[in-house]
Amino acid sequence: MKEKIRKGSLTVETACVMSLILLVLMGTLYLCFFVHNRAWLTAAAFEAALAGSMEGVKEDGKVYDTALARCRELGNTGFFGAENLSAEVTAGERVSVSYDLDTTVGYGGLKWHLKAEGSTKVLRPVQWIRKVKAVAEVIKGIGDG
């Protein structure tokens, strides 16, 4: 009779511990999705800012419009458990893109707020190359003298 009680005790212990194991497993899974969404949005913010800043070298370049279009294009990708995605673009000497997002956790309606930002200066490669060449000429002149 004692042997049957011992065999059944493993089943009862497993049933008690299984809820804790599943809770930890699901929490880890939701955390992985949160980290994925954050990495994706951060990369998307920097890519949209860079796309807008490269448009600034054109004579009639529309920095804001280009950054906003790229921002919307990259932000439309589906995210797991994502709600209330909003994007903001500012353009001037620097192009900045920021995303705001709420990610559901899955327990009791909790949500994690996620904010990703990316910014860059408006690139002017022709001016930069001219400055580098001028500095190189000055250094060369100092070396010859």
Side-chain angles (χ1 to χ4, degrees), residues 36-57:
H36 171 267
N37 290 348
R38 182 181 175 132
W40 175 264
L41 282 179
T42 301
F46 277 106
E47 186 176 334
L50 186 62
S53 70
M54 288 189 304
E55 189 72 18
V57 298

Side-chain angles (χ1 to χ4, degrees), residues 112-131:
W112 286 332
H113 183 73
L114 172 65
K115 183 169 184 164
E117 298 176 344
S119 68
T120 184
K121 288 181 7 179
V122 174
L123 300 176
R124 306 206 188 289
V126 174
Q127 292 174 352
W128 174 254
I129 291 170
R130 287 180 183 158
K131 286 179 185 178

